[in-house]
Amino acid sequence: MAEITPRSQDFSRWYLDVVRRAELADYSPVKGCMVIRPYGYAIWELLQQALDSRIKATGHVNAYFPLFIPNSLLTKEAEHVEGFSPQVAYVTHAGGEELEEKLVVRPTSEAIIGTMYANWVQSWRDLPILINQWANVVRWEKKTYPFLRTTEFLWQEGHTAHETEQEAEDETLKILDLYADVCESVLAMPVVKGKKTESEKFAGALRTYSIEALMGDGRALQAGTSHNLGQNFAKAFEIKFQARDKSVQYVWGTSWGVTTRLVGGMIMVHGDDGGLVLPPNIAPYQVVIVPIGRDNWRETVLPKAQEIQAQLRAAGLRVTLDERDERPGWKFAEWELRGVPLRLEIGPKDIEKSAVLVARRDSREKQSLPMDGLADRLRDLLADVQKSLLSRAKQFRDEHTQRTTSYDEFKQIMEGRPGFVIAPWCGHAECEAHIKGETQATIRNMPLGSSNPGGTCVRCDAPAVAEAWFAKAY
Ligand SMILES: [Zn+2]
């Protein structure tokens, strides 16, 4: 197998090597679009299930809206169209003729869903509407990167409509918590929840909240967003209802989404020079069994290996058995590259002792475990791997998060060892743009619950209004 570029040598190269060599995704004949291969798609499906069950448990239902949006609908909300127009792909011809009105390939679905909601909502009794959709969207990107930024990507987008501003705000924050929970408990990826600045918010939203994670190279990744749309889209799309006091009012909207980008984030948080390191909760295979033995291993070892596989599967673990005619060492490297959390080695001696050798992918520790009660022991080990990955990622983030009130120091940090920098900020977009121009660092968010640090802005003399988390970002 070809080598993977070491992380320390070239992080970006390392990432691309891992994505291709672990067979997560491949480039496609369409520039900027990727093919998600079965192993990568299995990860996405597990993530989808984790999100979908939580989305439904909080009272939402799934629906599906069309891929094409009439151009006139997209242009109804002025800020929205301005924000998205550089990235929009249009269909101008179909059925052998030029269309009377060109169609937009959805970059997001506020316009089409808002149009439908206007028909569906008449009275306060019709509210709230809590709908989610699983879909693909297209945003024409100049520079693409597998999973993190692709022209077409998969996501879920929630679109809700409420009677009051407070309800919409509660919904926006409830989903932010849901996203943070999935990132931490499933992907073992710690995130910072906070509010975006005006210049970084979603086009057309009142407020945008995000979760931000730190990747292994010290760059931040926006891992999900939740928007309080206020009444902006309701006014643009005429989503009105008769309120309890008989007055006619506009609904309060939210929208929120996470994408296949989360898969890329998970790779960058946990992977090492051996390849992928998958948290057990997202691993398509939590355990791989590799039979060890001489030429006759198919007779001596395989039956026992198959029996163990069946037992573990019956116990609810995701298990695969590598029966290929390759050397065990070759198989070890391959499953290490694919990030399987636990590897079970079974040879004739293990069978004699009624034991198996278990190797952890995260720490590379090995131990012998008795076959008796194996499923329970493995379940405990998997839980421990999951926990260790989260605490390791938290430790890395904490070690790469610094506070400063000095702009000189701020610039030094951004030039040297990157990560999050927490600094007081004046709230002015020009100042934010200036910092970005000089250091490439942007305000990732202003964490929920953080208070005004007082004093002056890290860059200018204006009084600080918020504590901002800065980083260079993907
Ligand atoms: Zn300032």
Side-chain angles (χ1 to χ4, degrees):
M1 284 189 277
E3 293 289 312
I4 294 174
T5 308
R7 266 166 51 122
S8 54
Q9 189 184 315
D10 183 343
F11 190 87
S12 171
R13 196 66 247 167
W14 166 84
Y15 174 77
L16 295 172
D17 286 350
V18 170
V19 166
R20 294 201 70 185
R21 297 280 321 288
E23 298 183 351
L24 298 174
D26 207 346
Y27 298 107
S28 82
V30 184
K31 194 181 160 289
C33 293
M34 68 170 173
V35 175
I36 306 178
R37 300 186 67 177
Y39 196 55
Y41 201 76
I43 293 173
W44 172 244
E45 282 181 313
L46 287 164
L47 178 57
Q48 230 183 352
Q49 286 160 19
L51 286 160
D52 198 60
S53 60
R54 286 166 174 82
I55 287 170
K56 285 172 180 160
T58 44
H60 303 85
V61 289
N62 287 337
Y64 189 78
F65 295 84
L67 169 67
F68 303 117
I69 303 173
N71 188 49
S72 56
L73 292 186
L74 191 75
T75 54
K76 275 191 175 180
E77 213 288 335
E79 278 183 43
H80 189 59
V81 68
E82 196 193 318
F84 276 101
S85 62
Q87 293 183 301
V88 166
Y90 295 100
V91 178
T92 56
H93 291 73
E97 46 192 80
E98 189 172 350
L99 298 177
E100 263 176 53
E101 180 182 3
K102 62 182 176 182
L103 297 171
V104 170
V105 182
R106 67 180 160 216
T108 177
S109 302
E110 278 76 6
I112 188 92
I113 293 179
T115 304
M116 300 314 297
Y117 283 5
N119 297 332
W120 296 347
V121 177
Q122 266 92 46
S123 132
W124 62 270
R125 290 182 189 83
D126 301 323
L127 297 171
I129 299 186
L130 305 173
I131 287 181
N132 175 61
Q133 116 163 318
W134 288 97
N136 58 340
V137 287
V138 168
R139 296 179 186 175
W140 222 255
E141 297 283 358
K142 289 200 173 69
K143 217 181 148 197
T144 57
Y145 208 35
F147 291 108
L148 295 190
R149 193 175 293 281
T150 48
T151 294
E152 179 191 10
F153 58 87
L154 305 183
W155 76 346
Q156 60 67 220
E157 49 180 322
H159 295 268
T160 68
H162 305 265
E163 275 184 82
T164 66
E165 180 172 13
Q166 187 59 48
E167 252 187 61
E169 183 71 4
D170 291 347
E171 166 79 6
T172 313
L173 292 172
K174 179 196 284 181
I175 296 299
L176 196 71
D177 284 340
L178 187 157
Y179 287 163
D181 174 48
V182 169
C183 285
E184 302 205 344
S185 67
V186 180
L187 302 177
M189 183 166 86
V191 292
V192 184
K193 294 183 280 187
K195 197 176 124 189
K196 285 293 204 187
T197 64
E198 282 298 299
S199 50
E200 297 270 339
K201 76 178 185 186
F202 178 72
L206 195 62
R207 279 187 286 281
T208 289
Y209 297 94
S210 72
I211 47 170
E212 304 281 337
L214 196 64
M215 303 294 102
D217 61 346
R219 282 179 181 262
L221 183 78
Q222 178 176 293
T225 48
S226 185
H227 317 291
N228 183 336
L229 302 176
Q231 292 177 310
N232 294 346
F233 286 86
K235 285 176 182 164
F237 293 96
E238 295 283 315
I239 316 172
K240 289 187 281 196
F241 70 102
Q242 190 177 52
R244 291 167 201 260
D245 65 4
K246 304 274 188 261
S247 66
V248 173
Q249 298 183 14
Y250 290 106
V251 301
W252 296 84
T254 83
S255 69
W256 28 274
V258 291
T259 75
T260 30
R261 152 174 272 216
L262 282 176
V263 176
M266 184 270 297
I267 299 166
M268 286 191 166
V269 167
H270 302 299
D272 63 18
D273 285 349
L276 274 182
V277 177
L278 294 176
N281 292 350
I282 201 73
Y285 303 122
Q286 297 166 313
V287 178
V288 57
I289 303 173
V290 180
I292 314 281
R294 296 190 184 280
D295 294 342
N296 60 347
W297 65 272
R298 284 194 182 271
E299 289 80 53
T300 54
V301 179
L302 190 59
K304 193 69 190 172
Q306 284 167 336
E307 188 190 315
I308 291 174
Q309 181 188 31
Q311 274 171 14
L312 298 181
R313 279 192 177 159
L317 299 176
R318 294 190 290 274
V319 187
T320 187
L321 168 60
D322 193 342
E323 291 189 37
R324 290 174 296 178
D325 284 313
E326 298 284 353
R327 286 177 299 105
W330 184 90
K331 293 181 182 176
F332 292 176
E334 159 124 343
W335 292 109
E336 183 173 293
L337 168 69
R338 289 179 158 234
V340 176
L342 298 178
R343 181 179 76 230
L344 255 59
E345 302 169 21
I346 307 176
K349 284 195 180 125
D350 301 301
I351 295 175
E352 267 171 41
K353 288 187 294 182
S354 198
V356 293
L357 195 66
V358 181
R360 280 173 71 140
R361 175 65 182 88
D362 63 332
S363 62
R364 297 171 196 268
E365 288 164 340
K366 286 188 174 192
Q367 57 177 306
S368 180
L369 289 180
M371 286 186 193
D372 196 33
L374 186 62
D376 287 339
R377 302 290 291 275
L378 293 181
R379 205 178 281 115
D380 291 347
L381 259 183
L382 288 168
D384 193 62
V385 172
Q386 183 77 30
K387 213 173 83 191
S388 320
L389 287 176
L390 178 62
S391 62
R392 194 164 83 179
K394 269 190 178 145
Q395 192 186 341
F396 177 86
R397 185 188 68 189
D398 293 348
E399 286 167 3
H400 292 81
T401 301
Q402 300 177 68
R403 268 172 205 280
T404 187
T405 53
S406 143
Y407 193 50
D408 283 337
E409 193 185 9
F410 183 102
K411 285 191 285 192
Q412 265 171 24
I413 298 168
M414 288 304 169
E415 280 166 21
R417 201 177 82 140
F420 284 122
V421 175
I422 308 171
W425 174 58
C426 60
H428 297 128
E430 314 83 71
C431 183
E432 185 186 5
H434 206 106
I435 294 172
K436 185 178 178 182
E438 285 188 339
T439 68
Q440 293 172 18
T442 47
I443 296 179
R444 301 321 306 156
N445 67 28
M446 295 166 283
L448 300 178
S450 63
S451 49
N452 182 353
T456 57
C457 170
V458 69
R459 193 196 72 89
C460 69
D461 292 332
V465 297
E467 183 172 85
W469 283 49
F470 292 85
K472 291 182 185 174
Y474 276 97

